[in-house]
Protein backbone atom coordinates (compact mmCIF):
# COMPACT_ATOMS: atom_id res chain seq x y z
CA UNK A 1 0.00 0.00 0.00
CA UNK A 2 1.42 3.36 -1.00
CA UNK A 3 1.47 6.19 1.49
CA UNK A 4 0.05 9.51 0.42
CA UNK A 5 1.44 12.96 1.11
CA UNK A 6 0.68 15.03 4.20
CA UNK A 7 0.54 12.11 6.65
CA UNK A 8 1.05 13.34 10.17
CA UNK A 9 0.84 11.84 13.60
CA UNK A 10 0.44 13.46 16.98
CA UNK A 11 3.67 11.96 18.36
CA UNK A 12 5.73 12.64 15.26
CA UNK A 13 6.17 9.18 13.73
CA UNK A 14 4.53 8.05 10.50
CA UNK A 15 2.02 5.22 10.66
CA UNK A 16 3.09 1.76 9.62
CA UNK A 17 0.63 0.53 7.01
CA UNK A 18 0.47 -3.23 6.66
CA UNK A 19 -0.26 -4.75 3.26
CA UNK A 20 -0.27 -8.43 4.14
CA UNK A 21 -3.55 -10.22 4.52
CA UNK A 22 -2.47 -12.10 7.64
CA UNK A 23 -2.24 -8.94 9.70
CA UNK A 24 -5.38 -7.37 8.31
CA UNK A 25 -7.78 -10.27 8.85
CA UNK A 26 -9.88 -10.80 11.96
CA UNK A 27 -9.41 -14.15 13.61
CA UNK A 28 -13.14 -14.81 13.28
CA UNK A 29 -16.34 -13.08 12.34
CA UNK A 30 -17.64 -11.73 15.65
CA UNK A 31 -21.22 -10.47 15.53
CA UNK A 32 -20.75 -8.80 18.93
CA UNK A 33 -18.33 -6.19 17.54
CA UNK A 34 -19.99 -2.81 17.40
CA UNK A 35 -19.12 0.86 17.52
CA UNK A 36 -19.89 2.23 20.99
CA UNK A 37 -22.69 4.79 21.16
CA UNK A 38 -20.36 7.46 22.56
CA UNK A 39 -17.87 6.89 19.72
CA UNK A 40 -20.66 7.07 17.16
CA UNK A 41 -21.85 10.34 18.74
CA UNK A 42 -18.34 11.76 18.52
CA UNK A 43 -17.89 10.86 14.86
CA UNK A 44 -21.40 11.98 13.94
CA UNK A 45 -20.63 15.38 15.50
CA UNK A 46 -17.50 15.80 13.35
CA UNK A 47 -19.54 15.05 10.25
CA UNK A 48 -22.27 17.42 11.42
CA UNK A 49 -19.76 20.24 11.94
CA UNK A 50 -18.39 19.68 8.45
CA UNK A 51 -21.82 19.51 6.81
CA UNK A 52 -23.29 22.50 8.66
CA UNK A 53 -20.33 24.88 8.57
CA UNK A 54 -17.91 23.62 5.92
CA UNK A 55 -19.30 25.71 3.07
CA UNK A 56 -18.81 28.87 5.15
CA UNK A 57 -15.07 28.22 5.00
CA UNK A 58 -14.50 26.39 1.67
CA UNK A 59 -16.98 26.38 -1.21
CA UNK A 60 -17.61 22.85 -2.47
CA UNK A 61 -16.02 21.11 0.51
CA UNK A 62 -19.16 19.25 1.57
CA UNK A 63 -19.82 17.96 -1.95
CA UNK A 64 -17.09 15.29 -1.78
CA UNK A 65 -17.27 12.01 0.19
CA UNK A 66 -15.00 11.81 3.24
CA UNK A 67 -14.62 8.30 4.71
CA UNK A 68 -13.13 7.96 8.19
CA UNK A 69 -11.14 5.19 9.89
CA UNK A 70 -11.60 5.40 13.66
CA UNK A 71 -8.98 3.67 15.82
CA UNK A 72 -9.76 2.42 19.34
CA UNK A 73 -7.56 0.38 21.66
CA UNK A 74 -8.83 -2.91 20.20
CA UNK A 75 -10.60 -2.21 16.90
CA UNK A 76 -10.55 -0.05 13.81
CA UNK A 77 -13.85 1.05 12.35
CA UNK A 78 -14.03 2.08 8.68
CA UNK A 79 -16.97 4.44 8.19
CA UNK A 80 -18.44 5.44 4.85
CA UNK A 81 -15.90 3.67 2.62
CA UNK A 82 -17.24 3.02 -0.89
CA UNK A 83 -15.94 -0.56 -1.03
CA UNK A 84 -15.25 -3.60 1.12
CA UNK A 85 -11.80 -3.34 2.72
CA UNK A 86 -9.33 -6.20 3.01
CA UNK A 87 -9.51 -7.90 6.41
CA UNK A 88 -12.57 -5.94 7.59
CA UNK A 89 -15.98 -7.37 8.35
CA UNK A 90 -19.22 -5.46 7.80
CA UNK A 91 -21.17 -4.31 10.85
CA UNK A 92 -24.74 -3.21 11.36
CA UNK A 93 -25.51 0.26 10.00
CA UNK A 94 -25.30 2.73 12.88
CA UNK A 95 -28.44 4.79 13.47
CA UNK A 96 -26.47 7.94 14.33
CA UNK A 97 -23.97 7.83 11.48
CA UNK A 98 -26.26 6.44 8.77
CA UNK A 99 -23.17 5.10 6.99
CA UNK A 100 -21.86 1.61 6.29
CA UNK A 101 -19.33 0.45 8.88
CA UNK A 102 -16.61 -2.20 8.66
CA UNK A 103 -14.27 -3.35 11.44
CA UNK A 104 -11.00 -5.18 11.99
CA UNK A 105 -8.68 -5.84 14.92
CA UNK A 106 -6.44 -2.83 15.50
CA UNK A 107 -3.29 -2.61 13.36
CA UNK A 108 -2.52 1.13 13.28
CA UNK A 109 -1.12 3.27 16.06
CA UNK A 110 -4.00 4.45 18.31
CA UNK A 111 -2.72 8.05 18.47
CA UNK A 112 -2.91 8.79 14.75
CA UNK A 113 -4.49 12.00 13.49
CA UNK A 114 -3.94 11.82 9.76
CA UNK A 115 -5.40 11.75 6.28
CA UNK A 116 -4.08 9.62 3.45
CA UNK A 117 -4.85 7.04 0.79
CA UNK A 118 -6.19 3.97 2.60
CA UNK A 119 -6.61 1.09 0.14
CA UNK A 120 -7.09 3.52 -2.72
CA UNK A 121 -9.52 5.80 -0.87
CA UNK A 122 -8.59 9.24 0.49
CA UNK A 123 -9.75 9.13 4.10
CA UNK A 124 -9.37 10.53 7.60
CA UNK A 125 -7.52 8.15 9.96
CA UNK A 126 -7.86 9.14 13.60
CA UNK A 127 -7.68 7.75 17.14
CA UNK A 128 -9.91 8.45 20.11
CA UNK A 129 -9.97 11.68 22.11
CA UNK A 130 -8.23 9.86 24.96
CA UNK A 131 -5.39 8.68 22.70
CA UNK A 132 -5.01 12.16 21.22
CA UNK A 133 -5.30 13.80 24.68
CA UNK A 134 -8.12 16.06 23.51
CA UNK A 135 -11.57 16.97 24.73
CA UNK A 136 -14.46 15.75 22.60
CA UNK A 137 -14.99 19.21 21.09
CA UNK A 138 -11.31 19.69 20.24
CA UNK A 139 -11.27 16.15 18.80
CA UNK A 140 -14.21 16.96 16.50
CA UNK A 141 -12.38 20.04 15.18
CA UNK A 142 -9.19 18.00 14.71
CA UNK A 143 -11.21 15.52 12.64
CA UNK A 144 -12.52 18.43 10.55
CA UNK A 145 -8.90 19.57 10.03
CA UNK A 146 -8.15 16.14 8.58
CA UNK A 147 -11.29 16.32 6.44
CA UNK A 148 -9.84 19.44 4.84
CA UNK A 149 -6.75 17.46 3.83
CA UNK A 150 -9.10 15.15 1.92
CA UNK A 151 -10.40 18.19 0.03
CA UNK A 152 -6.79 19.17 -0.71
CA UNK A 153 -6.15 15.70 -2.20
CA UNK A 154 -9.33 16.01 -4.25
CA UNK A 155 -8.11 19.35 -5.65
CA UNK A 156 -4.65 18.06 -6.64
CA UNK A 157 -2.39 18.85 -3.68
CA UNK A 158 -0.30 15.65 -3.97
CA UNK A 159 0.67 16.48 -7.56
CA UNK A 160 1.39 20.08 -6.53
CA UNK A 161 3.82 18.93 -3.83
CA UNK A 162 5.46 16.31 -6.07
CA UNK A 163 6.30 19.08 -8.52
CA UNK A 164 8.58 20.64 -5.87
CA UNK A 165 10.76 17.48 -5.89
CA UNK A 166 11.66 17.84 -2.23
CA UNK A 167 11.51 14.17 -1.27
CA UNK A 168 10.44 10.64 -2.11
CA UNK A 169 7.19 10.10 -3.99
CA UNK A 170 6.58 6.80 -2.17
CA UNK A 171 7.75 7.52 1.39
CA UNK A 172 6.28 10.57 3.12
CA UNK A 173 8.73 10.47 6.04
CA UNK A 174 10.80 13.19 4.35
CA UNK A 175 8.10 15.67 5.37
CA UNK A 176 9.00 15.14 9.02
CA UNK A 177 12.74 14.53 8.58
CA UNK A 178 13.53 17.32 6.12
CA UNK A 179 16.79 19.01 7.24
CA UNK A 180 15.48 22.57 7.43
CA UNK A 181 18.01 24.84 9.26
CA UNK A 182 15.93 25.40 12.41
CA UNK A 183 19.13 25.92 14.42
CA UNK A 184 20.25 28.92 12.36
CA UNK A 185 19.44 31.95 14.53
CA UNK A 186 19.26 34.27 11.51
CA UNK A 187 16.70 32.03 9.79
CA UNK A 188 14.57 32.11 12.93
CA UNK A 189 14.91 35.92 13.12
CA UNK A 190 13.71 36.23 9.54
CA UNK A 191 10.74 33.98 10.33
CA UNK A 192 9.94 36.21 13.29
CA UNK A 193 10.17 39.29 11.07
CA UNK A 194 7.42 37.72 8.94
CA UNK A 195 5.22 36.57 11.80
CA UNK A 196 5.11 39.80 13.75
CA UNK A 197 3.81 42.10 10.97
CA UNK A 198 1.43 39.33 9.87
CA UNK A 199 0.02 39.33 13.39
CA UNK A 200 -0.27 43.13 13.32
CA UNK A 201 -2.00 42.99 9.95
CA UNK A 202 -4.58 40.53 11.26
CA UNK A 203 -5.28 42.75 14.27
CA UNK A 204 -5.29 46.13 12.46
CA UNK A 205 -8.64 47.91 12.50
CA UNK A 206 -7.99 49.71 9.19
CA UNK A 207 -7.46 47.87 5.90
CA UNK A 208 -4.75 50.34 4.87
CA UNK A 209 -2.79 49.47 8.03
CA UNK A 210 -3.31 45.77 7.38
CA UNK A 211 -1.90 46.16 3.87
CA UNK A 212 1.06 48.16 5.16
CA UNK A 213 1.95 45.39 7.60
CA UNK A 214 1.41 42.79 4.89
CA UNK A 215 3.90 44.70 2.73
CA UNK A 216 6.41 44.71 5.59
CA UNK A 217 5.96 40.95 5.97
CA UNK A 218 6.47 40.53 2.21
CA UNK A 219 9.78 42.40 2.41
CA UNK A 220 10.87 40.05 5.21
CA UNK A 221 9.82 37.07 3.08
CA UNK A 222 12.00 38.29 0.21
CA UNK A 223 15.04 38.61 2.50
CA UNK A 224 14.26 35.21 4.06
CA UNK A 225 14.06 33.54 0.66
CA UNK A 226 17.35 35.11 -0.42
CA UNK A 227 19.10 34.20 2.82
CA UNK A 228 18.02 30.55 2.60
CA UNK A 229 20.09 30.27 -0.59
CA UNK A 230 23.17 30.37 1.63
CA UNK A 231 22.05 26.92 2.84
CA UNK A 232 20.93 25.50 -0.52
CA UNK A 233 21.19 27.24 -3.87
CA UNK A 234 18.25 25.32 -5.33
CA UNK A 235 15.81 26.99 -2.89
CA UNK A 236 14.68 23.68 -1.43
CA UNK A 237 14.46 25.20 2.06
CA UNK A 238 12.25 28.05 0.92
CA UNK A 239 9.95 25.69 -0.98
CA UNK A 240 9.79 23.31 1.97
CA UNK A 241 8.53 26.16 4.14
CA UNK A 242 6.02 27.13 1.43
CA UNK A 243 4.80 23.55 1.22
CA UNK A 244 4.26 23.35 4.99
CA UNK A 245 2.62 26.79 5.21
CA UNK A 246 0.33 26.24 2.24
CA UNK A 247 -0.76 22.70 3.09
CA UNK A 248 -0.53 22.28 6.87
CA UNK A 249 -0.82 25.97 7.68
CA UNK A 250 -4.07 26.32 5.77
CA UNK A 251 -5.40 23.10 7.31
CA UNK A 252 -4.75 24.74 10.68
CA UNK A 253 -6.42 27.92 9.38
CA UNK A 254 -9.44 25.81 8.41
CA UNK A 255 -9.63 24.20 11.84
CA UNK A 256 -9.38 27.66 13.43
CA UNK A 257 -12.12 29.11 11.22
CA UNK A 258 -14.39 26.12 11.84
CA UNK A 259 -13.90 26.51 15.60
CA UNK A 260 -14.69 30.22 15.31
CA UNK A 261 -17.82 29.50 13.26
CA UNK A 262 -19.02 26.83 15.70
CA UNK A 263 -18.56 29.24 18.61
CA UNK A 264 -20.12 32.30 16.98
CA UNK A 265 -22.78 31.23 14.50
CA UNK A 266 -25.45 29.72 16.71
CA UNK A 267 -24.32 26.27 15.62
CA UNK A 268 -26.02 23.49 17.60
CA UNK A 269 -24.10 20.26 18.29
CA UNK A 270 -26.00 17.00 17.88
CA UNK A 271 -28.05 15.92 20.87
CA UNK A 272 -26.06 12.69 21.33
CA UNK A 273 -22.82 14.70 21.38
CA UNK A 274 -24.26 17.02 24.01
CA UNK A 275 -24.83 13.99 26.23
CA UNK A 276 -21.15 13.00 26.31
CA UNK A 277 -19.60 13.18 29.78
CA UNK A 278 -16.97 15.78 28.84
CA UNK A 279 -19.22 17.92 26.63
CA UNK A 280 -18.46 21.64 26.47
CA UNK A 281 -20.07 24.08 24.08
CA UNK A 282 -17.89 25.36 21.25
CA UNK A 283 -17.47 28.78 22.83
CA UNK A 284 -15.71 27.03 25.72
CA UNK A 285 -13.66 24.94 23.28
CA UNK A 286 -12.74 28.09 21.36
CA UNK A 287 -11.66 29.91 24.50
CA UNK A 288 -9.62 26.96 25.75
CA UNK A 289 -7.93 25.79 22.55
CA UNK A 290 -8.19 28.30 19.71
CA UNK A 291 -8.62 31.91 20.78
CA UNK A 292 -4.94 32.33 21.65
CA UNK A 293 -3.53 30.72 18.51
CA UNK A 294 -2.75 34.20 17.15
CA UNK A 295 0.08 34.56 19.66
CA UNK A 296 2.31 31.83 18.16
CA UNK A 297 2.00 33.76 14.87
CA UNK A 298 3.34 36.84 16.63
CA UNK A 299 6.18 34.85 18.21
CA UNK A 300 7.01 32.54 15.26
CA UNK A 301 10.76 32.00 15.11
CA UNK A 302 11.12 32.79 18.81
CA UNK A 303 8.70 30.81 20.97
CA UNK A 304 8.00 28.45 18.04
CA UNK A 305 11.21 27.14 16.43
CA UNK A 306 10.33 23.84 14.76
CA UNK A 307 8.24 22.56 11.85
CA UNK A 308 5.10 23.84 13.55
CA UNK A 309 6.31 27.40 13.07
CA UNK A 310 5.23 26.99 9.43
CA UNK A 311 1.76 25.87 10.56
CA UNK A 312 1.35 29.14 12.44
CA UNK A 313 2.79 31.23 9.62
CA UNK A 314 0.33 29.56 7.25
CA UNK A 315 -2.53 30.20 9.67
CA UNK A 316 -1.46 33.83 9.91
CA UNK A 317 -1.14 34.31 6.16
CA UNK A 318 -4.59 32.80 5.64
CA UNK A 319 -6.13 35.17 8.19
CA UNK A 320 -4.25 38.13 6.72
CA UNK A 321 -5.45 37.26 3.21
CA UNK A 322 -9.00 37.24 4.58
CA UNK A 323 -8.40 40.89 5.44
CA UNK A 324 -6.67 42.16 2.31
CA UNK A 325 -7.88 39.80 -0.48
CA UNK A 326 -11.12 38.07 0.60
CA UNK A 327 -11.42 36.03 -2.61
CA UNK A 328 -7.97 34.39 -2.25
CA UNK A 329 -9.49 30.92 -1.92
CA UNK A 330 -10.49 30.96 -5.60
CA UNK A 331 -6.78 30.64 -6.45
CA UNK A 332 -5.58 28.59 -3.49
CA UNK A 333 -5.87 25.19 -5.23
CA UNK A 334 -4.18 26.28 -8.47
CA UNK A 335 -1.25 24.01 -9.28
CA UNK A 336 1.38 26.75 -9.34
CA UNK A 337 0.09 28.93 -6.48
CA UNK A 338 1.53 29.02 -2.95
CA UNK A 339 0.73 31.34 -0.07
CA UNK A 340 3.46 33.88 -0.81
CA UNK A 341 2.16 34.17 -4.38
CA UNK A 342 -1.24 35.08 -2.99
CA UNK A 343 0.26 37.69 -0.69
CA UNK A 344 2.15 39.22 -3.62
CA UNK A 345 -1.06 39.27 -5.64
CA UNK A 346 -2.97 40.90 -2.78
CA UNK A 347 -0.35 43.65 -2.60
CA UNK A 348 -0.31 44.24 -6.35
Amino acid sequence: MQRRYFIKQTLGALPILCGTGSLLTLAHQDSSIHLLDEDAALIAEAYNLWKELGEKVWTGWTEIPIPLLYITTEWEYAIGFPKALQGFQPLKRDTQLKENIQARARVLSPDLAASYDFEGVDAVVIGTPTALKKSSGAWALTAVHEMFHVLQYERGSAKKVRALKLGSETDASWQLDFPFPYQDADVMRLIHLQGYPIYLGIKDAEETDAKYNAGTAMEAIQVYRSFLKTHAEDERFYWYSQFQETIEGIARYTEYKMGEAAADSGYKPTEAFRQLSDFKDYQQVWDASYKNQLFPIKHAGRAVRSRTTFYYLGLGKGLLLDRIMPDWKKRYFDSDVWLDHLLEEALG
Side-chain angles (χ1 to χ4, degrees), residues 138-297:
W139 182 96
L141 287 165
T142 299
V144 168
H145 171 126
E146 299 303 337
M147 290 176 178
F148 176 67
H149 282 313
V150 177
L151 177 64
Q152 289 174 323
Y153 301 153
E154 178 75 15
R155 300 286 178 87
S157 57
K159 182 178 179 181
K160 185 172 178 173
V161 173
R162 280 199 300 272
L164 296 178
K165 297 182 179 179
L166 294 174
S168 170
E169 293 189 10
T170 58
D171 182 358
S173 63
W174 67 266
Q175 298 174 19
L176 303 181
D177 301 334
F178 194 85
F180 188 85
Y182 298 108
Q183 302 308 312
D184 187 316
D186 287 332
V187 171
M188 291 299 107
R189 289 187 186 103
L190 288 168
I191 286 175
H192 178 66
L193 290 173
Q194 297 174 56
Y196 188 62
I198 287 169
Y199 169 82
L200 294 177
I202 294 165
K203 300 290 284 182
D204 282 327
E206 299 295 331
E207 184 178 345
T208 53
D209 293 334
K211 284 194 170 182
Y212 181 85
N213 280 303
T216 302
M218 199 69 239
E219 290 175 351
I221 289 165
Q222 290 165 352
V223 177
Y224 165 79
R225 182 173 183 176
S226 178
F227 183 76
L228 284 174
K229 289 182 182 179
T230 64
H231 288 274
E233 292 183 2
D234 62 1
E235 292 201 297
R236 70 181 65 184
F237 294 125
Y238 172 72
W239 287 114
Y240 178 75
S241 65
Q242 276 296 280
F243 148 61
Q244 291 286 10
E245 289 176 25
T246 304
I247 303 301
E248 285 293 351
I250 296 304
R252 179 150 306 188
Y253 159 90
T254 300
E255 181 180 348
Y256 179 94
K257 295 294 287 186
M258 290 289 283
E260 183 179 52
D264 294 345
S265 69
Y267 169 76
K268 295 189 182 305
T270 65
E271 183 56 34
F273 185 73
R274 293 176 66 87
Q275 299 305 314
L276 294 180
S277 60
D278 71 337
F279 171 76
K280 294 180 180 177
D281 64 49
Y282 282 101
Q283 184 63 58
Q284 292 173 291
V285 175
W286 171 262
D287 290 342
S289 302
Y290 292 92
K291 182 174 67 175
N292 292 327
Q293 285 194 15
L294 296 185
F295 292 107
I297 301 167

Side-chain angles (χ1 to χ4, degrees), residues 97-146:
L97 292 169
K98 299 180 175 62
E99 293 280 358
N100 64 75
I101 302 177
Q102 306 170 62
R104 75 176 180 188
R106 184 176 67 79
V107 172
L108 299 175
S109 176
D111 58 0
L112 268 173
S115 52
Y116 55 88
D117 179 328
F118 188 85
E119 289 201 16
V121 179
D122 291 328
V124 174
V125 182
I126 191 166
T128 65
T130 299
L132 271 60
K133 300 179 181 177
K134 292 181 179 289
S135 68
S136 292
W139 182 96
L141 287 165
T142 299
V144 168
H145 171 126
E146 299 303 337

Side-chain angles (χ1 to χ4, degrees), residues 15-166:
I16 304 300
L17 303 184
C18 301
T20 57
S22 61
L23 285 177
L24 302 187
T25 304
L26 293 173
H28 59 279
Q29 299 283 306
D30 187 345
S31 60
S32 68
I33 302 168
H34 66 281
L35 186 65
L36 296 176
D37 288 345
E38 52 265 37
D39 289 329
L42 187 73
I43 297 163
E45 172 61 17
Y47 277 114
N48 194 60
L49 266 174
W50 167 59
K51 283 290 188 184
E52 292 294 320
L53 301 177
E55 294 297 318
K56 295 178 182 292
V57 183
W58 291 99
T59 301
W61 187 11
T62 61
E63 296 172 5
I64 65 170
I66 300 187
L68 184 146
L69 186 70
Y70 183 67
I71 308 166
T72 68
T73 54
E74 295 184 6
W75 305 101
E76 295 170 4
Y77 299 91
I79 297 151
F81 277 74
K83 65 178 186 178
L85 300 175
Q86 180 186 6
F88 285 74
Q89 69 176 74
L91 303 184
K92 262 193 212 177
R93 198 175 181 87
D94 184 86
T95 56
Q96 294 186 70
L97 292 169
K98 299 180 175 62
E99 293 280 358
N100 64 75
I101 302 177
Q102 306 170 62
R104 75 176 180 188
R106 184 176 67 79
V107 172
L108 299 175
S109 176
D111 58 0
L112 268 173
S115 52
Y116 55 88
D117 179 328
F118 188 85
E119 289 201 16
V121 179
D122 291 328
V124 174
V125 182
I126 191 166
T128 65
T130 299
L132 271 60
K133 300 179 181 177
K134 292 181 179 289
S135 68
S136 292
W139 182 96
L141 287 165
T142 299
V144 168
H145 171 126
E146 299 303 337
M147 290 176 178
F148 176 67
H149 282 313
V150 177
L151 177 64
Q152 289 174 323
Y153 301 153
E154 178 75 15
R155 300 286 178 87
S157 57
K159 182 178 179 181
K160 185 172 178 173
V161 173
R162 280 199 300 272
L164 296 178
K165 297 182 179 179
L166 294 174

